[in-house]
């Protein structure tokens, strides 16, 4: 949208009843999920017949329908995901919200006129990410929720596609698409729609990871002046009353082109909050963002009974798209190109722990700690908003001039930076590669790529190409924009998760490392692959011990985690 246009108001519809509430409250569009491949699998969601009814109801009211296919997809699920996308295409769904680049690539090749929105799970936080998505068939990017106003403004000014911003509802403390804690600790993957919300639990006898709900109702005019295309309200797990109450307030603010007053903020807080609201990511003030849902909050919500009124907007009905019944033939994609040799590699967070001699083909250090004497690769920061691009580009140029050859890239928005600096590019696990379609796409960009640590050995085996696997190390579980103000998080069982600084942010590490030194036979069944090591909290002596064990295929007495 152009600046000063009224943004689209996008509402959650976790059920048919919530859909009706969103329409009555004046939503311009709704987003909903089916019973598979959506990031809120615990919501009521929609059957196929209910979806068809929902589209007819919404379109009759002039409201667009976006369906979430925003989980990672396994090779053995890809055919089912494509079949579902085909059904949604034929059912007149207006757009799909997708995070898996392999799935998106396949859908775009089959249905080039099917609108794709880059989910927040894509971790899109800069203009380069928007450019990448545009080049790969997307027509909108959902911006990362951690962006402040300066970077949002830069993004909306320079993005080749419209930008959607999350304005109200529950906040994850970890960057979207970059949280593995529920998966690694509890066996329920947030990237697969099954998050158990470990961030809401106590650590160190406090709640350092539980954030208040986001509320940008006080910044509507600023968002409008930036040219934000769509304002998204969270809440597919919420009741129809919640949806109606919240959407109706934002509808009024947009229609009147103003910010919320104190009374409206108080009302929204009564509807649902966790000790009030935060706008800390948007303003850059992270000082008072933590909150939990108290009994007083619950009592306030129970007393709210919104009075449904006639919807404030009469829109023209949306006509049928009359889409072709058969997908466009994508042709044969062929095999994934595989180099003659996949390199062994390791990342270290402290140059002093890197052993002498050539233990690995590539040794990475974080960009702000690179040491050209011991490392021949740099690990790019996990987040590089537009305001930090020039600084990172200068550091990359310095590292390249010092003889560093390789760059480990974990975000679609960082590819062009590393490429411009002249590095050999390698894909990090943060890209969430879980299938051969994603591997095929990224094989055109990277020399090799580290697969998602959420995969099992059989799932890894299904993926061909220049794949690398993390075979030792504490997996980064969370990527924090807001500091948790500690170097260790101890849960209720006194299990300790170390916290390290990385690229100006923090990463929460798993309490135990992956260890596969004594599983050579299992690893050999994967076919060609490169082993990747992550050294974080280990000292020099422990690094030497671990490498010796790995060479000998010995077990360790320490508590470890295995790839199943």
């Amino acid at each position: 949208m152009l600046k000063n246009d009224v943004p689209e108001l996008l509402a959650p519809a976790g059920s048919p009843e919530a859909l009706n509430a969103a329409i009555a409250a004046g939503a311009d569009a709704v987003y909903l999920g089916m019973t598979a491949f959506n990031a809120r699998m615990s919501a009521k969601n929609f059957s196929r017949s209910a979806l068809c009814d929902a589209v007819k109801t919404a379109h009759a009211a002039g409201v667009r329908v976006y369906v979430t296919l925003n989980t990672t997809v396994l090779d053995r699920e890809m055919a089912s995901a494509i079949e579902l996308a085909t059904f949604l295409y034929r059912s007149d769904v207006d757009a799909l919200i997708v995070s898996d680049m392999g799935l998106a690539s396949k859908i775009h090749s089959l249905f080039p006129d099917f609108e794709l929105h880059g989910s927040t799970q894509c971790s899109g936080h800069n203009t380069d990410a928007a450019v990448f998505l545009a080049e790969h068939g997307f027509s909108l990017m959902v911006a990362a929720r951690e962006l402040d106003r300066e970077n949002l403004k830069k993004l909306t000014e320079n993005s080749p596609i419209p930008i959607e911003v999350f304005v109200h509802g529950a906040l994850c403390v970890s960057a979207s698409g970059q949280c593995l804690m529920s998966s690694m600790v509890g066996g329920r993957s947030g990237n697969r729609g099954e998050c158990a919300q470990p961030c809401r639990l106590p650590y160190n006898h406090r709640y350092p990871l539980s954030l208040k709900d986001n509320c940008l109702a006080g910044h509507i005019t600023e968002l409008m002046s930036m040219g934000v295309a769509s304002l998204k309200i969270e809440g597919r797990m919420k009741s129809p009353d919640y949806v109606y109450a919240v959407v109706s307030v934002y509808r009024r603010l947009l229609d009147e082109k103003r910010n919320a007053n104190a009374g409206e903020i108080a009302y929204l807080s009564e509807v649902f909050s966790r000790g009030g609201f935060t706008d800390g990511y948007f303003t850059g003030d992270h000082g008072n963002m933590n909150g939990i849902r108290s009994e007083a909050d619950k009592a306030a919500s129970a007393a709210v009974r919104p009075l449904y009124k006639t919807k404030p907007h009469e829109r023209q009905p949306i006509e049928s798209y009359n889409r072709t019944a058969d997908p466009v033939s994508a042709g044969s994609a062929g095999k994934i190109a595989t180099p003659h040799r996949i390199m062994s590699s390791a990342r270290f967070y402290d140059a002093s722990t890197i052993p002498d001699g050539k233990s690995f083909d590539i040794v990475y250090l974080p960009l702000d700690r690179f040491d050209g004497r011991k490392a021949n690769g740099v690990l790019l920061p996990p987040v590089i908003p537009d305001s930090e691009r020039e600084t990172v580009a200068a550091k990359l140029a310095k590292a390249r001039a010092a003889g560093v050859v390789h760059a480990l890239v974990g975000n679609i928005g960082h590819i062009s930076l590393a490429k411009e600096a002249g590095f050999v590019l390698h894909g990090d696990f943060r890209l969430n590669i879980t299938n051969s379609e994603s591997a095929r796409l990224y094989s055109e960009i990277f020399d090799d790529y580290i697969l998602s640590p959420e995969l099992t050995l059989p799932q890894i085996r299904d993926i061909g190409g220049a794949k690398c696997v993390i075979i030792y190390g504490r997996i980064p579980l969370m990527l924090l924009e807001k500091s948790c103000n500690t170097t260790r998080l101890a849960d209720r069982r006194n299990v300790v998760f170390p916290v390290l600084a990385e690229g100006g942010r923090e990463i929460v590490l798993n309490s135990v490392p992956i260890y596969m030194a004594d599983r050579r036979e299992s690893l050999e069944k994967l076919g060609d692959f490169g082993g990747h090591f992550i050294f974080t909290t280990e000292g020099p002596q422990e690094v030497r011990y671990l490498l010796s064990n790995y060479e000998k295929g010995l077990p360790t007495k320490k508590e470890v985690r295995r790839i199943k």
Side-chain angles (χ1 to χ4, degrees), residues 229-341:
S230 181
L231 305 183
K232 174 186 177 181
I233 295 169
E234 179 272 340
R236 280 193 287 148
M237 301 288 290
K238 300 292 202 311
S239 70
D241 281 356
Y242 170 92
V243 172
Y244 181 85
V246 175
V247 173
S248 61
V249 171
Y250 279 87
R251 177 76 273 160
R252 183 166 62 248
L253 299 178
L254 287 172
D255 288 347
E256 298 175 7
K257 297 182 174 59
R258 65 175 176 84
N259 298 325
N261 57 41
E264 287 163 326
I265 297 291
Y267 172 70
L268 288 170
S269 181
E270 289 173 0
V271 172
F272 190 96
S273 80
R274 290 180 170 88
F277 293 126
T278 181
D279 59 2
Y281 282 143
F282 183 79
T283 63
D285 181 2
H286 298 171
N288 188 30
M289 292 184 68
N290 292 98
I292 58 173
R293 184 121 168 101
S294 67
E295 292 302 318
D297 292 330
K298 296 174 185 177
S301 298
V304 175
R305 290 289 184 271
L307 178 63
Y308 285 61
K309 298 179 182 179
T310 304
K311 74 176 190 294
H313 278 251
E314 292 295 339
R315 300 179 178 82
Q316 290 296 317
I318 297 173
E319 298 182 3
S320 172
Y321 293 109
N322 294 315
R323 288 166 173 155
T324 57
D326 296 319
V328 175
S329 175
S332 176
K335 294 183 178 180
I336 303 172
T338 305
H340 294 297
R341 182 166 177 263

Side-chain angles (χ1 to χ4, degrees), residues 313-534:
H313 278 251
E314 292 295 339
R315 300 179 178 82
Q316 290 296 317
I318 297 173
E319 298 182 3
S320 172
Y321 293 109
N322 294 315
R323 288 166 173 155
T324 57
D326 296 319
V328 175
S329 175
S332 176
K335 294 183 178 180
I336 303 172
T338 305
H340 294 297
R341 182 166 177 263
I342 304 171
M343 297 182 176
S344 64
S345 56
R347 76 186 76 188
F348 291 80
Y349 284 83
D350 185 344
S352 68
T353 63
I354 300 174
D356 294 328
K358 193 170 177 60
S359 301
F360 306 97
D361 296 307
I362 307 174
V363 172
Y364 299 104
L365 277 172
L367 179 60
D368 55 2
R369 305 178 197 173
F370 91 89
D371 182 341
R373 296 168 300 171
K374 287 193 170 185
N376 60 350
V378 290
L379 170 63
L380 268 69
V383 174
I384 308 172
D386 286 318
S387 62
E388 298 174 21
R389 193 183 197 280
E390 288 187 14
T391 299
V392 172
K395 290 181 179 179
L396 285 171
K398 182 179 179 181
R400 187 71 188 92
V404 178
V405 176
H406 304 278
L408 189 57
V409 180
N411 188 279
I412 57 175
H414 306 166
I415 294 169
S416 59
L417 257 175
K419 189 179 294 185
E420 289 166 9
F423 287 93
V424 176
L425 272 57
H426 306 265
D428 199 7
F429 73 91
R430 294 189 184 280
L431 294 168
N432 293 325
I433 300 173
T434 60
N435 57 66
S436 295
E437 292 294 338
S438 291
R440 183 175 291 108
L441 184 149
Y442 286 121
S443 69
E444 298 176 0
I445 300 170
F446 301 110
D447 264 32
D448 52 45
Y449 37 82
I450 301 173
L451 298 180
S452 166
E454 293 189 281
L455 295 175
T456 64
L457 290 171
Q459 291 162 355
I460 291 169
R461 189 177 60 243
D462 288 343
I463 301 174
K467 60 191 177 190
C468 293
V469 179
I470 298 172
I471 55 177
Y472 174 77
R474 294 178 185 267
I475 301 295
L477 300 182
M478 286 185 171
L479 171 58
L480 307 181
E481 182 74 23
K482 177 199 174 299
S483 174
C484 61
N485 298 310
T486 184
T487 58
R488 61 192 296 277
L489 293 168
D491 70 9
R492 295 169 296 177
R493 299 170 298 164
N494 205 33
V495 175
V496 175
F497 301 88
V499 180
L500 293 184
E502 182 180 357
R505 278 84 190 169
E506 290 178 349
I507 52 173
V508 179
L509 301 173
N510 204 354
S511 58
V512 296
I514 282 179
Y515 186 85
M516 296 295 289
D518 54 342
R519 295 292 192 271
R520 292 281 183 88
E521 187 175 326
S522 299
L523 293 172
E524 287 170 359
K525 294 178 181 178
L526 301 179
D528 293 332
F529 79 99
H532 186 77
F533 293 70
I534 300 177

